[in-house]
Amino acid sequence: MSIPNFKHALPVTRAQDFAAWYQAVVSEADLAEESGVRGSMVIRPWGYGIWERIQKLMDARIKAAGVENCYFPLFIPLSYFAKEADHVDGFAKEMAVVTHHRLKMIDGKLSPDPEAKLEEPLIVRPTSETIIGAAMARWVQSWRDLPLLVNQWANVVRWEMRTRMFLRTTEFLWQEGHTAHATAEDARAETMRALEMYRDFAETALAMPVVAGEKPENERFPGAVATYSIEAMMQDGKALQAGTSHYLGTGFAEAAGIKYQDAEGGQQFAHTTSWGTTTRMIGGVIMVHGDDDGLRCPPMIAPYQVVIVPMLRDNDEDAAVLAYCEDLARALGEVDVFREPLRVLLDRKPLKASNKRWAWVKKGAPIIVEVGGRDVAGGNVSVLRRDRLYNETGKTASAIVPRGDFVASAAETLRDIQASLYGEAKTRLDANLRRDVTDKAALAAAFAGDKPGWVEVEWAKPTGAALDAVEEWLKGEKLTLRNTPLDAAPATGQCIFTGEKAVERVIVGRSY
Amino acid sequence: MSIPNFKHALPVTRAQDFAAWYQAVVSEADLAEESGVRGSMVIRPWGYGIWERIQKLMDARIKAAGVENCYFPLFIPLSYFAKEADHVDGFAKEMAVVTHHRLKMIDGKLSPDPEAKLEEPLIVRPTSETIIGAAMARWVQSWRDLPLLVNQWANVVRWEMRTRMFLRTTEFLWQEGHTAHATAEDARAETMRALEMYRDFAETALAMPVVAGEKPENERFPGAVATYSIEAMMQDGKALQAGTSHYLGTGFAEAAGIKYQDAEGGQQFAHTTSWGTTTRMIGGVIMVHGDDDGLRCPPMIAPYQVVIVPMLRDNDEDAAVLAYCEDLARALGEVDVFREPLRVLLDRKPLKASNKRWAWVKKGAPIIVEVGGRDVAGGNVSVLRRDRLYNETGKTASAIVPRGDFVASAAETLRDIQASLYGEAKTRLDANLRRDVTDKAALAAAFAGDKPGWVEVEWAKPTGAALDAVEEWLKGEKLTLRNTPLDAAPATGQCIFTGEKAVERVIVGRSY
């Protein structure tokens, strides 16, 4: 059976225009689309299926850490925000504000009813520290109530001026963990636990290698004492912040009144943390694993891991082909992979087999199996691995395999695809992360001509105005500080920016 | 081992004040609490855990019907609503309206920034027919694209004047299914499929018997051609509408432009449906299954089905007790019940065993197991079934059982609890649903003195002004029409309201 060459079936390749390629994959893989509402997207079934997989796997990790899911209100009274000055400064410019609770016909036009104006405006949550802090203040009385560990899966709204699907949307979906602790030490340990959970999740579930580290002072979450991130390298070499974890000190506890009686009877403010990951991760998966034929979805988060496409010819062989496919789907459904039943779809849509196959290639189903009359006769299946569409000569690499062998090796093949996607991305990250740059001119040159990648440099960790000056210079080069990797080597030389003695290493790169 | 008598440990009993009892259960079982934001609640871990179970079981049914999950924007432009006149009339009075996208300090007060006023106000979705209709109009071109079956799990906002936790909140969580079909017949079939899915879900998963039927004309969803509901009887005899399914005709398709080319090449409007269930179901579970000791949670939706409480005495027996409990938890975790692994919790909280037991009774864990040193020595466990706390003499009915026997029968016991909760509720419904009332005076008398229950009467299904008159009379008696049961006997007599020849039977009752 021959499969047409898929190359360049998307309207644009990565090399031609990475940003346009990204939009094409989002659209052609049925992941999401513009909704007609400014900055908001419709997440389509395949994209939402990936999100459901992410939710399931992340939620299991969150629960395993003893964190309990709750649900807090969408609307936060404006006064709650005003209590934490840095926090409100950080978000005031991008808040959606509810001011009325009724519409009325006025001069023939449906309008907010002036008589239903709210006494206090309500903010559509951009993040929930303030409203969850108010609940924690009710729940925490004694040291025995700590640690208090909660999480919610929710939608949040930040009024972004420039939006891009999955990466930056006015409304997005996320999980936000919020915890309160008796001591700074406990809260810092929780901050790092969440960061490590995200690192492991990104690398294991998303097959996306990341660098975990602390954000510089002026990239902190508004109101945080310390912010940590995981940063992933996209195929264009840019960095995507794919998850953050914040140690909030006692600032939010003081604003909300989260106090506890310690073992000695004294009153103390709790130390809080928050940490979140969002639908943005799907954008990262696209830009890390996608190719010129569309998405390549890591098997752990693929809504379907194996898709069976029957090749029907409107003749009397069809019934046998379908029966064979149903039996194959049943057998695959009994296979376990990554400690879950394998997810298999028999695609019965009334479309031509080649169109269906092509649609699944674009969506990135990890394994596509085609079955025609000849396969049934020979007891075979035709197997295409999405991560290796082509052989060395550029032909599609589908292989005719005995059905039993395919079923027996399906779990191993999926594990291999997951590992190979990770390996490919890790090799790229390692190859494009330079550590040999020691002066500003060389740093600028390292990014000349849109050369992809990051540079890890030594710096003195300047603060205040000195840090502002560094960021100003970087901005001129269209560069940003990403984070100071936790596992970086110790600094031994001079700060690339100030010439002072360096204290640690920081990653510089372009970013989303 | 003796367990104190729990009777009346809640501050109020059902008989004393049903509404106050309801609030007490919501609070004492850690289900939800007031958030400080008008009409919005915080759903606490045990309440949210029940919602997660409901989501999981309902989602499986939705997916099994071939419906795909998506996600649509929270904000809907006002103009989308204006397109369907009946729809906007129905919702305009309870809409939260976003008018600004930024805050600004004005006269020392953080306020909506007048320079960031939206050109067109955005509505926080009260329901998503209009925004999903806009997407369907993009997705549907040909008869081959139909049926189009989507669902979303989301939060919605309706600005209710009087709110009550779970039953009627400004913001609530729900699933909303939306489908488009080529013909009225197909769309009506889908409407009935969803209704039957809800009936079966309520009776199977929630152990809550319901009556499925059509709502009278003036209780229809705004814009619908026909609305169906499932109605459950609470312990005070009132009706709770626990799920609705709507046939929308072509009205929404015409407003949004959902058109398709039929097999003959002609242009047709699609026929659409929508159907939803909400966090309100949790309120129903409380009022159907709760008793004077708190919630009794049906095992299928209980976050934990068995809770193990170790009785520790701060002595050297404790290690053996804990090891015994851990082993028991492991063994129970390997049991399958309702086709899932049994959910077991070993409660390690540093609290007195009697306090923990009492907390789990209030939360309604189906089986509470206590283990003390004597149980370990004898190889036993002390088992308390939440649905049968007391024996005939009013003593707590905990039973000492050999550990092996308990594990071997745990699944069967949970199935029995599920069945017995359903049976109890069904007996109550049947006993309190009268069908022998044939005149208005008797109908009013049937509800005199807050007598609980419903009355199914024959009626002529009046419309327009005649129906208004019926509702007016009922309103005077604080009664409402619930629905016309699908499985009711045929009408044979006269309409109880108009004296005309009756055409069907309708349920009359008080309602939430």
Side-chain angles (χ1 to χ4, degrees):
Chain A
M1 153 188 343
S2 88
I3 293 181
N5 192 317
F6 298 139
K7 273 225 188 302
H8 315 308
L10 291 181
V12 56
T13 67
R14 288 163 293 175
Q16 285 166 349
D17 183 340
F18 195 78
W21 166 85
Y22 174 80
Q23 296 293 355
V25 175
V26 168
S27 163
E28 300 274 323
D30 283 343
L31 295 167
E33 67 184 25
E34 298 291 351
S35 66
V37 184
R38 193 196 157 288
S40 298
M41 60 182 171
V42 172
I43 308 181
R44 302 192 60 180
W46 187 249
Y48 197 78
I50 293 173
W51 181 240
E52 287 182 316
R53 289 294 310 156
I54 289 175
Q55 283 190 300
K56 178 171 179 175
L57 297 175
M58 183 73 86
D59 196 63
R61 286 162 198 254
I62 291 169
K63 286 194 167 89
V67 181
E68 295 185 300
N69 283 343
C70 299
Y71 188 76
F72 297 89
L74 171 69
F75 294 148
I76 304 181
L78 196 156
S79 58
Y80 283 40
F81 276 96
K83 289 179 192 168
E84 222 290 340
D86 289 339
H87 190 58
V88 74
D89 277 0
F91 285 107
K93 292 196 180 104
E94 50 186 51
M95 281 172 168
V97 191
V98 176
T99 55
H100 295 73
H101 64 80
R102 194 164 62 216
L103 295 177
K104 190 184 175 181
M105 215 38 109
I106 298 175
D107 298 336
K109 201 180 154 198
L110 205 56
S111 311
D113 182 350
E115 288 175 21
K117 190 172 175 192
L118 300 178
E119 278 186 36
E120 179 181 10
L122 294 172
I123 306 303
V124 182
R125 63 180 163 221
T127 181
S128 302
E129 279 74 10
T130 56
I131 187 90
I132 294 182
M136 285 181 164
R138 295 191 296 271
W139 298 347
V140 173
Q141 308 295 333
S142 141
W143 60 273
R144 287 187 194 82
D145 300 322
L146 298 173
L148 180 63
L149 314 170
V150 301
N151 177 69
Q152 79 172 348
W153 291 93
N155 52 346
V156 284
V157 169
R158 298 179 188 176
W159 203 270
E160 304 279 359
M161 279 304 131
R162 294 181 57 190
T163 60
R164 191 185 283 191
M165 275 188 283
F166 289 113
L167 301 176
R168 196 178 294 280
T169 47
T170 300
E171 180 189 7
F172 56 91
L173 304 181
W174 78 345
Q175 62 67 218
E176 48 179 323
H178 295 266
T179 71
H181 306 262
T183 65
E185 191 186 355
D186 283 359
R188 283 191 181 273
E190 171 65 17
T191 308
M192 301 318 284
R193 184 205 63 75
L195 182 70
E196 168 59 16
M197 175 176 74
Y198 289 160
R199 185 203 61 72
D200 183 68
F201 179 84
E203 302 199 334
T204 306
L206 309 182
M208 183 168 83
V210 294
V211 173
E214 186 174 356
K215 301 295 280 187
E217 176 185 283
N218 47 1
E219 295 271 338
R220 277 183 201 140
F221 177 76
V225 173
T227 286
Y228 298 83
S229 72
I230 53 170
E231 304 277 334
M233 187 187 284
M234 306 296 104
Q235 286 182 65
D236 62 353
K238 287 191 191 168
L240 184 79
Q241 179 178 299
T244 51
S245 183
H246 317 291
Y247 167 56
L248 303 174
T250 57
F252 285 89
E254 287 169 34
I258 313 174
K259 279 180 290 196
Y260 71 94
Q261 192 168 49
D262 63 25
E264 288 73 44
Q267 285 282 317
Q268 305 280 353
F269 282 113
H271 294 252
T272 65
T273 85
S274 66
W275 28 273
T277 52
T278 77
T279 33
R280 177 173 237 221
M281 286 188 289
I282 297 174
V285 165
I286 297 167
M287 290 194 289
V288 167
H289 299 304
D291 66 14
D292 291 342
D293 295 310
L295 178 61
R296 299 187 302 170
C297 196
M300 282 185 95
I301 57 164
Y304 298 111
Q305 297 162 317
V306 179
V307 174
I308 304 170
V309 176
M311 307 186 69
L312 306 176
R313 302 189 187 282
D314 283 328
N315 64 22
D316 47 9
E317 270 183 1
D318 285 2
V321 169
L322 271 176
Y324 188 88
C325 289
E326 280 162 9
D327 191 55
L328 176 63
R330 203 159 30 235
L332 287 167
E334 283 165 16
V335 169
D336 264 12
V337 58
F338 307 120
R339 300 189 193 177
E340 292 181 273
L342 189 152
R343 295 181 294 283
V344 56
L345 175 76
L346 169 51
D347 184 351
R348 297 173 188 273
K349 280 207 205 80
L351 299 172
K352 273 178 65 180
S354 61
N355 289 344
K356 289 201 270 189
R357 178 210 311 137
W358 173 229
W360 288 112
V361 165
K362 286 195 286 188
K363 289 183 175 181
I367 300 175
I368 300 164
V369 178
E370 291 178 289
V371 174
R374 218 182 305 169
D375 298 303
V376 173
N380 296 320
V381 291
S382 175
V383 179
L384 193 58
R385 266 179 74 146
R386 179 60 184 88
D387 64 327
R388 296 183 193 163
L389 274 188
Y390 307 103
N391 60 23
E392 292 82 26
T393 64
K395 292 274 169 61
T396 50
S398 75
I400 311 276
V401 182
R403 175 197 177 285
D405 293 359
F406 170 65
V407 172
S409 64
E412 182 55 33
T413 305
L414 289 167
R415 282 193 292 270
D416 190 59
I417 294 172
Q418 184 84 22
S420 119
L421 288 174
Y422 176 80
E424 199 179 305
K426 183 75 168 84
T427 301
R428 187 187 319 119
L429 192 164
D430 291 343
N432 292 292
L433 174 49
R434 295 177 56 180
R435 295 191 175 86
D436 59 349
V437 176
T438 54
D439 66 79
K440 280 160 77 175
L443 183 57
F447 292 93
D450 281 328
K451 227 182 285 175
W454 304 343
V455 180
E456 186 188 287
V457 298
E458 301 202 347
W459 78 331
K461 200 178 184 177
T463 60
L467 177 56
D468 290 345
V470 169
E471 297 249 321
E472 194 58 31
W473 179 81
L474 287 168
K475 203 173 164 189
E477 302 292 331
K478 294 183 184 162
L479 296 174
T480 60
L481 298 169
R482 302 317 303 155
N483 68 22
T484 57
L486 297 181
D487 62 357
T492 54
Q494 291 175 316
C495 176
I496 192 171
F497 303 113
T498 66
E500 299 168 274
K501 185 172 155 39
V503 299
E504 63 183 8
R505 291 164 189 269
V506 64
I507 288 179
V508 175
R510 304 225 152 100
S511 80
Y512 278 94
Chain B
M1 160 185 343
S2 88
I3 293 180
N5 193 316
F6 300 137
K7 273 227 188 303
H8 315 309
L10 291 181
V12 56
T13 66
R14 290 164 291 177
Q16 285 166 350
D17 183 340
F18 195 78
W21 166 85
Y22 174 79
Q23 296 292 353
V25 175
V26 168
S27 165
E28 300 273 322
D30 283 343
L31 295 168
E33 67 185 25
E34 298 291 349
S35 66
V37 183
R38 194 196 157 288
S40 297
M41 61 181 169
V42 172
I43 309 182
R44 301 193 60 181
W46 188 249
Y48 198 78
I50 293 173
W51 181 241
E52 286 182 317
R53 289 293 310 155
I54 289 174
Q55 284 190 299
K56 179 172 178 173
L57 297 175
M58 183 74 86
D59 196 62
R61 286 162 198 254
I62 291 170
K63 286 193 167 89
V67 182
E68 295 185 300
N69 283 342
C70 299
Y71 187 77
F72 297 89
L74 171 69
F75 295 147
I76 304 180
L78 196 155
S79 59
Y80 283 41
F81 276 95
K83 288 178 191 168
E84 222 290 339
D86 289 338
H87 191 58
V88 75
D89 276 359
F91 285 105
K93 291 196 180 103
E94 49 185 52
M95 280 172 169
V97 190
V98 176
T99 54
H100 295 74
H101 64 81
R102 194 163 63 214
L103 296 177
K104 191 185 177 181
M105 216 35 110
I106 299 174
D107 299 335
K109 202 180 152 198
L110 204 57
S111 311
D113 182 350
E115 288 176 22
K117 192 172 173 190
L118 300 178
E119 277 186 36
E120 179 180 12
L122 294 172
I123 306 303
V124 182
R125 64 180 161 219
T127 180
S128 302
E129 279 75 9
T130 56
I131 187 88
I132 295 181
M136 285 180 163
R138 295 191 295 271
W139 298 346
V140 173
Q141 309 295 333
S142 138
W143 62 272
R144 287 186 194 81
D145 300 321
L146 298 173
L148 178 64
L149 314 171
V150 301
N151 177 67
Q152 79 173 348
W153 291 93
N155 53 347
V156 285
V157 169
R158 297 178 188 177
W159 203 271
E160 303 280 359
M161 280 303 133
R162 295 182 56 188
T163 61
R164 190 184 283 191
M165 276 188 282
F166 289 114
L167 300 176
R168 196 176 295 278
T169 47
T170 300
E171 180 189 4
F172 56 91
L173 305 181
W174 77 345
Q175 61 67 217
E176 48 179 322
H178 295 267
T179 70
H181 305 262
T183 65
E185 189 187 358
D186 284 358
R188 283 189 181 273
E190 171 64 17
T191 307
M192 301 317 283
R193 185 205 62 76
L195 182 70
E196 168 58 17
M197 174 176 74
Y198 290 160
R199 185 203 61 72
D200 183 67
F201 179 84
E203 302 200 332
T204 305
L206 310 181
M208 183 168 84
V210 294
V211 172
E214 185 174 357
K215 301 295 281 187
E217 174 184 281
N218 45 1
E219 295 271 338
R220 276 181 203 143
F221 177 77
V225 173
T227 286
Y228 298 82
S229 73
I230 53 170
E231 305 277 334
M233 187 187 285
M234 305 297 105
Q235 286 182 65
D236 63 353
K238 287 190 190 168
L240 184 80
Q241 179 177 299
T244 50
S245 183
H246 317 290
Y247 167 56
L248 303 174
T250 57
F252 285 88
E254 287 168 35
I258 313 173
K259 281 180 288 197
Y260 70 93
Q261 192 168 50
D262 63 25
E264 288 75 42
Q267 286 282 316
Q268 304 281 351
F269 283 112
H271 294 252
T272 65
T273 85
S274 66
W275 29 273
T277 53
T278 78
T279 34
R280 177 171 236 221
M281 285 188 289
I282 297 175
V285 166
I286 297 167
M287 290 195 288
V288 167
H289 299 304
D291 66 15
D292 291 343
D293 296 310
L295 178 61
R296 298 187 302 170
C297 196
M300 282 185 93
I301 59 163
Y304 298 111
Q305 296 162 319
V306 178
V307 173
I308 304 170
V309 177
M311 307 187 69
L312 305 177
R313 302 190 187 282
D314 282 328
N315 64 22
D316 47 8
E317 271 184 359
D318 285 2
V321 170
L322 271 175
Y324 188 88
C325 289
E326 280 161 10
D327 191 56
L328 176 63
R330 206 160 25 236
L332 287 167
E334 283 165 15
V335 169
D336 264 13
V337 57
F338 307 121
R339 299 190 194 178
E340 290 182 274
L342 189 151
R343 295 181 295 283
V344 57
L345 175 75
L346 169 51
D347 184 350
R348 298 171 187 274
K349 280 210 204 79
L351 299 172
K352 276 177 62 180
S354 60
N355 289 342
K356 289 200 272 190
R357 177 208 315 135
W358 173 230
W360 289 113
V361 165
K362 286 195 286 189
K363 288 181 176 181
I367 300 177
I368 300 163
V369 178
E370 289 178 290
V371 174
R374 217 182 306 171
D375 298 304
V376 174
N380 295 321
V381 291
S382 175
V383 179
L384 193 59
R385 266 178 73 145
R386 179 61 185 88
D387 64 326
R388 295 184 194 161
L389 274 188
Y390 306 103
N391 61 23
E392 293 82 25
T393 66
K395 292 273 168 64
T396 50
S398 75
I400 311 275
V401 182
R403 175 196 175 286
D405 292 0
F406 170 65
V407 173
S409 63
E412 181 55 34
T413 306
L414 288 167
R415 282 193 292 270
D416 191 59
I417 294 172
Q418 185 83 24
S420 118
L421 288 173
Y422 177 80
E424 201 179 303
K426 183 74 166 86
T427 301
R428 187 186 320 119
L429 193 163
D430 290 344
N432 291 291
L433 173 49
R434 295 177 58 178
R435 296 193 175 85
D436 59 350
V437 177
T438 53
D439 67 77
K440 278 160 79 173
L443 182 58
F447 292 93
D450 281 328
K451 227 182 284 176
W454 304 344
V455 180
E456 186 188 288
V457 299
E458 302 202 348
W459 78 331
K461 201 178 182 177
T463 60
L467 177 56
D468 291 343
V470 169
E471 296 250 320
E472 194 59 31
W473 180 82
L474 287 168
K475 203 174 166 189
E477 303 292 331
K478 294 182 185 162
L479 296 174
T480 59
L481 298 169
R482 304 316 305 156
N483 68 23
T484 56
L486 297 181
D487 61 358
T492 54
Q494 289 176 317
C495 175
I496 190 172
F497 303 112
T498 65
E500 299 168 274
K501 184 171 157 37
V503 299
E504 63 185 5
R505 291 164 189 268
V506 64
I507 288 180
V508 176
R510 303 224 152 100
S511 80
Y512 278 93

